[in-house]
Structure formats: structure tokens, C-alpha cells
Amino acid sequence: MATIKDVANQAGVSVATVSRVLNGNGYVHEDTRSKVEQSIRELNYTPNEVARSLYKRKSKLIGLLLPDIMNPYFPQLARGVEDEMQENDYRLIFGNSDESKKKEMEYIQTFVQNNVVGVISSTNDPDADMYTGLNIPVVFLDRTSSDRPSVYADGRQGGRIAAEEIVRRGSKAVTVIQGPADVRPAQERFEGAVEVLEQQAAAYQVLKTTSFSLTDAEEFAQKVFSEYPDTDGIIASNDIMASAVVKEAFRLGKRVPEDVQIIGFDDILLSRLLAPPLSTIHQPAYEMGREAARLLIGLIEGQRIEKSNIEFSVEFIERQTTRKVES
Amino acid sequence: MATIKDVANQAGVSVATVSRVLNGNGYVHEDTRSKVEQSIRELNYTPNEVARSLYKRKSKLIGLLLPDIMNPYFPQLARGVEDEMQENDYRLIFGNSDESKKKEMEYIQTFVQNNVVGVISSTNDPDADMYTGLNIPVVFLDRTSSDRPSVYADGRQGGRIAAEEIVRRGSKAVTVIQGPADVRPAQERFEGAVEVLEQQAAAYQVLKTTSFSLTDAEEFAQKVFSEYPDTDGIIASNDIMASAVVKEAFRLGKRVPEDVQIIGFDDILLSRLLAPPLSTIHQPAYEMGREAARLLIGLIEGQRIEKSNIEFSVEFIERQTTRKVES
């Protein structure tokens, strides 16, 4: 099959000229155009879409580092980043660090080697060398960094709201599930919840967990009820954990929300598809992703940035794993 | 702050030599090493991790195209691909086509522009120009292609099993939810189910859907029961749709599985966290991702490939949205 090179050779012109004829852009002399068109016919050349597209402007690459694509919260963030980038003709290289420093490092390295023009990272360590050493713009997403560009939700406030709602709706023995110690947003929401429970002098206990993974969630859910069989209100570390707790409550014959109330965190799309649908703290993940992309593009393109620390507020979504009260 | 270049200049050696000293690999003459170490001390140079890592071997890039990262099935596939690639020192560029030909094309273009050495694609159109025109290995994942390397599950068999199980467990008025017409695996599983229902002369009806998106799932779930209020068995197009159907059944006060049985497809991790946990057809997504990566690496490295069409079998996972029967 004839290639664009064959056409160029036969017509005695450059590949770029053939490309200009094919795409109908740029100046090509009428005689040259005729020669090229004749060669195309003679060689029966069909420009394939890929070859043609290669002459179009090359899109700039952005590196996006996420901790765990198996948790549906992160694909929602990613989707927001991607849509904004796509509309502005940037493309994503994507890395999944799996909360491992080594993998994270390898991906940042891959990003740099492939000449990304900026990075968006949901790292647990914005101050790590691998970021401070980069000489391209970096935006931290879903992570707080006081002195560097970042987009995040107010996790502490989320924890506070969860605690207020569960107490207000009548739970007397609250269990707070504390997420992994090295995941900052998990700690912030945990601290927020404990703050309110202390203020209100409410009875509560804490279950520490070491992972956010779906496969461990069931085990932790069983632990909640075996260690605290009389708990009547559970503030879960995220929606995955909350789903596992709802399921375990059902298995034990407890009624939700009559016997035990459950509040999640994130508001992943699936949480409203649960039966009963999950009451949770909504983080605007998709919008946060878009905002991080907007901020990064601004930094890359040298725009004047008004605000490089963008905090989104969170809100309680009342569904059916919490009791109704007069408001 | 001093850079590696400053160190090289002061010591009168190349940057590569400084790097060899820093990484402790490759031959460096003892005198040269001393000079470099002295310059490092004098300039108070701290090699940052990124700079250091850049001297390591550059990882090869693979392009991975998925239709929808918001559906948790695809991150499972991606995770399998990624783990296998990571272990073999390949890295992923990742594209989300959103079932759009235009986006798919743009990503394939990005892959090529960034010199990927191979592509894994869950496209609906393996015969499209953008693939036949590529001169690097391509493996189709979760998609059947008879004459090109591909890794997929036996969807037709999955549909058959779902129909057999739901009839065997006593449903007399089955509803089959047909997934989007342009998504091949959806059609195969649909055809498999209908095949068995016809063979068994079972009463059934079909609800056509146009999307797999989470946001549309609720609407289709409502349609199932408004159009077929007496249905007592639902074969859903995937687990997301099945979750929405379970929730809608609860909303309508129907008991699952006593009044209506529900079978999903995929076995995403969340399906076992549902209350009640979802009976479904298991596709080994993670393993399929790994296998596609293995196959692609084999093709890239010119290994002798025994089998370039790899079909995984599927199985029924009995949980609690189907009735118990004597086996």
C-alpha cells in the first residue's frame, strides 16, 4: 500500500507539502497541487486517519497522579480533569501510585521524561523532593498545601457536619472509622468529627483502619460490630467503607437507620444506587478536577492567577441510612 | 541552589559522570570520583530525586484506551494492565474515549505522537483505520476480534448462564435489559440470554437502553418496573444497572429475591458490598488486563506468540439477589 512518502517521492515534493494538500491548509502552488493530486490518484493512495492526524498540531501533555483508581472517587476527579484538558487541547498521562512512594516517584519520572508541561497530583506528600525539584507547574488535587497551588474540599468541615448530623439524629454511641494515618484528607475529616463529638460530650469510640481498599473494607466492617456491638451510629471514612458497614449491619439483622445510622464520605455516584441509598458528605469531585485543570492551564499559560489555593465546601446529603428529624 | 551541571562544571567532568558517582553504578576513576565528591561538598549540592532518576533508563510507554473510567469495571481492567506493565518497566498513557469516536481518535493520535511502543484498546471498532494504520502492536481488550490479538471474556456464554440461572430459580416473566447497541460485549451477552430464553420457551421481554452511564441507570431502572410491573426476574446489562434495579425494587416495596430476582454482569468489587449482595456473572477483569499486557509485551519484544486470541470463561456468582435452589 502506498504511503504519504511514496506520494511525496513520485510528485517530487516534501511530505509536508503532500500533507498540506491533503488537509487543505497552508499555501501550495497550483501546479504543485496538481502534481500531488495526480500522484495520489496514480498510486491509489488513501491517507489513513492516523497518518493524517499526525500533521495536526501536537497536543501538550499533562501528568495526572492518583492514589487509587479502584476507588470510584478518583475516576470522578480524573474525569473532571480530563474534560477540562480535552476542551483546551491538552492530553493526560495518567499514573496510579497505589499509595506507594516508589510508584509515585516512577510516574513523576515518566511524566518528566515525556515532557509533560504540568502535573496534577493527589499525593500525600506535596513537600517531597520529587515535587519541589520540578521546574514545571504542579497543582495538588484533593490535597491541602498552604504555600503551593492546590484544590481541595474542606474535609475538616465534612467531619464536623457528619458528627453533628449523626448526634442530632439520635445516635448515642457513635463509632468513628479513622482512615489510613498517612492519607491527609482522611485525617482531616476524622479530626473534624472528633472535635464535634468532644465539644458535645458525646459518647464515641474510634476504629482505626490501615487501608481504603475495597477488599479490606468488609473486614473492617465486621470489626466495627464485633468490637462495638452496641454502636448505633457510624461515621465511615469513605463511601466504600460505609457500603461495607451497611451490608454487615444487614447480615447481622440490624435495621438501618432504625438500629444503626451510617454516614459515608465522598458521595461517589454509586452511593445513591445502594439500597438503602447512602447518607453521606458530598465532595464535588468532578468540579474539583475541572478546577485543578483550569488552575494548571492558567499557570502553564502564564496567566495572572488570583487565587492558587481553592477550597470547595462540602455538604450533607440526606438519604436513607440516617433517621428523619424535624429541621 | 547548585545543580548537577554546576557540579560537573566545577569538577571538570560530564553530567553523566556526576550521575554515575551519585548512583554508584558504572566505572568512575578514583581521582575523578574524589573531584566530583569534593565539588558536591563545596557547592552543597543535594541531588533531588527527580534529577537523579532521570539518568536511569527511560521506561517505554504503552497507550491504554478505555471507554469509561467512571464504570468501576474499567479501572479493574486498567489495574491489571498497569500492574503487569509496571513489573516489566513499561508505563501507561491513558485515554478515556467516553464511547466517542472523535475522542478515541485524538487519544490514539496522542499515543503515536508520544512514541508509545504498543496500544491496548477497548474500542468498539477494532477494524477502524486508526488501528489498521498503526505500525506498532495493538491488543484489543474486552473486545472480540477474530483476526487480531485480543483478550476478552465469553460474554455470550455469560448471557446464557444468566438466563439459565434465573429460569432455574423460578422466574416466570423475565426482563432482559439490553445494553447500548454499539457496545459489542453488551450485545453478545444479550444475545446469549435471549438464545436460552427462546430455547426454553420462557416468557420474556426486552428493555433497550442507550447508555451504560451511572447517571442514566436510575431512569432505566424505573422504566423496567413501569413498563413491566409484573416482571419477577431481571437480567441486567451490567452491575451498575443491576444496582439501580435493586434500589428501585426496594423503593417500590418489592422483596429481592422473593418477588423479583436480579442478576448483574461484571462482578465489580462493589457488587459484593451491596445490601443484599448482588448475584452476578463474574468476568476476571483484573486477570484479563494482566493477560492483555503480557500479550502486548510479547508482541513488542518479538516473542513467539502461541495464541493471540485469548478468551476467558465467566461464571455465575451466587449471592443474595437470586433464590436458593437445590443443585
Side-chain angles (χ1 to χ4, degrees), chain B residues 11-39:
Chain B
V13 301
S14 70
V15 167
T17 303
V18 179
S19 161
R20 279 202 297 276
V21 173
L22 291 170
N23 289 306
N25 56 24
Y27 172 76
V28 183
H29 192 280
E30 199 42 53
D31 293 354
T32 312
R33 179 180 308 277
S34 300
K35 263 195 292 185
V36 169
E37 284 170 352
Q38 195 186 335
S39 299

Side-chain angles (χ1 to χ4, degrees), chain A residues 49-50 61 79 82 86 91 96 98 105-107 110 114 130 214 218 247 269-270 272 274-275, chain B residues 49-50 61 79 82 86 91 96 98 105-107 110 114 214 218 247 269-270 272 274-275:
Chain A
E49 294 176 286
V50 172
L61 282 184
R79 191 55 203 274
E82 200 209 13
Q86 188 81 18
R91 299 285 176 275
N96 183 51
D98 203 18
M105 176 85 177
E106 284 170 353
Y107 272 114
T110 301
N114 289 284
M130 65 182 122
L214 275 81
E218 279 182 305
K247 179 194 158 191
L269 291 175
L270 283 172
R272 74 163 203 235
L274 292 181
Chain B
E49 293 176 285
V50 172
L61 282 185
R79 191 55 204 275
E82 200 210 13
Q86 188 81 17
R91 299 283 177 275
N96 183 51
D98 203 19
M105 176 85 177
E106 284 170 352
Y107 272 114
T110 301
N114 288 283
L214 275 80
E218 279 182 305
K247 179 192 159 194
L269 291 174
L270 284 172
R272 73 164 204 235
L274 292 180

Side-chain angles (χ1 to χ4, degrees), chain A residues 237-293:
Chain A
S237 43
N238 67 6
D239 285 352
I240 302 291
M241 184 60 71
S243 311
V245 170
V246 171
K247 179 194 158 191
E248 181 63 11
F250 269 82
R251 205 182 62 85
L252 296 172
K254 291 178 188 281
R255 291 167 308 159
V256 177
E258 294 84 351
D259 300 332
V260 58
Q261 301 192 91
I262 297 157
I263 297 184
F265 206 102
D266 284 346
D267 195 23
I268 57 177
L269 291 175
L270 283 172
S271 61
R272 74 163 203 235
L273 294 185
L274 292 181
L278 187 67
S279 296
T280 190
I281 305 296
H282 175 76
Q283 298 201 76
Y286 179 84
E287 260 314 315
M288 288 162 63
R290 275 222 182 239
E291 190 61 40

Side-chain angles (χ1 to χ4, degrees), chain A residues 139-180:
Chain A
V139 169
F140 296 102
L141 174 57
D142 194 42
R143 295 298 184 259
T144 323
S145 173
S146 52
D147 57 342
R148 316 195 58 198
S150 50
V151 174
Y152 49 90
D154 189 349
R156 185 173 296 272
Q157 179 64 6
R160 277 195 214 106
I161 296 172
E164 280 160 8
E165 292 292 343
I166 212 159
V167 170
R168 193 164 79 84
R169 287 155 200 272
S171 287
K172 304 284 182 212
V174 176
T175 304
V176 189
I177 304 183
Q178 181 177 12

Side-chain angles (χ1 to χ4, degrees), chain A residues 2-238:
Chain A
T3 67
I4 192 167
K5 254 194 184 154
D6 298 332
V7 174
N9 286 341
Q10 164 145 353
V13 301
S14 70
V15 167
T17 303
V18 179
S19 161
R20 280 202 296 277
V21 173
L22 290 171
N23 290 304
N25 57 24
Y27 172 75
V28 182
H29 191 282
E30 200 40 55
D31 293 354
T32 312
R33 179 181 308 277
S34 300
K35 262 195 291 184
V36 169
E37 285 170 353
Q38 194 185 334
S39 300
I40 287 173
R41 277 192 304 274
E42 284 176 16
L43 293 170
N44 197 18
Y45 170 70
T46 323
N48 80 47
E49 294 176 286
V50 172
R52 250 175 67 176
S53 64
L54 289 183
Y55 292 94
K56 291 190 191 146
R57 195 167 70 79
K58 183 169 169 174
S59 301
K60 295 192 189 105
L61 282 184
I62 297 292
L64 172 64
L65 187 105
L66 297 177
D68 180 13
I69 45 166
M70 303 282 267
N71 177 345
Y73 174 69
F74 291 105
Q76 255 177 284
L77 279 179
R79 191 55 203 274
V81 172
E82 200 209 13
D83 283 357
E84 185 71 23
M85 289 299 178
Q86 188 81 18
E87 288 165 20
N88 289 278
D89 207 21
Y90 289 84
R91 299 285 176 275
L92 292 182
I93 310 189
F94 165 89
N96 183 51
S97 74
D98 203 18
E99 307 275 9
S100 141
K101 269 253 174 195
K102 181 170 170 289
K103 273 194 169 188
E104 181 173 354
M105 176 85 177
E106 284 170 353
Y107 272 114
I108 297 298
Q109 182 180 332
T110 301
F111 294 166
V112 172
Q113 286 173 336
N114 289 284
N115 304 314
V116 300
V117 294
V119 170
I120 295 180
S121 173
S122 299
T123 181
N124 287 315
D125 191 4
D127 300 319
D129 269 14
M130 65 182 122
Y131 295 107
T132 53
L134 283 179
N135 52 8
I136 48 174
V138 180
V139 169
F140 296 102
L141 174 57
D142 194 42
R143 295 298 184 259
T144 323
S145 173
S146 52
D147 57 342
R148 316 195 58 198
S150 50
V151 174
Y152 49 90
D154 189 349
R156 185 173 296 272
Q157 179 64 6
R160 277 195 214 106
I161 296 172
E164 280 160 8
E165 292 292 343
I166 212 159
V167 170
R168 193 164 79 84
R169 287 155 200 272
S171 287
K172 304 284 182 212
V174 176
T175 304
V176 189
I177 304 183
Q178 181 177 12
D182 52 346
V183 178
R184 285 194 193 187
Q187 291 319 304
E188 283 162 11
R189 63 185 78 154
F190 170 74
E191 288 162 17
V194 166
E195 223 172 87
V196 165
L197 293 167
E198 290 283 346
Q199 275 165 13
Q200 304 205 355
Y204 74 95
Q205 56 258 337
V206 173
L207 182 87
K208 283 181 201 285
T209 63
T210 50
S211 135
F212 263 141
S213 97
L214 275 81
T215 39
D216 296 337
E218 279 182 305
E219 202 181 302
F220 290 123
Q222 284 165 17
K223 226 170 149 186
V224 170
F225 293 109
S226 66
E227 298 201 358
Y228 309 113
D230 298 328
T231 190
D232 64 352
I234 293 162
I235 298 174
S237 43
N238 67 6

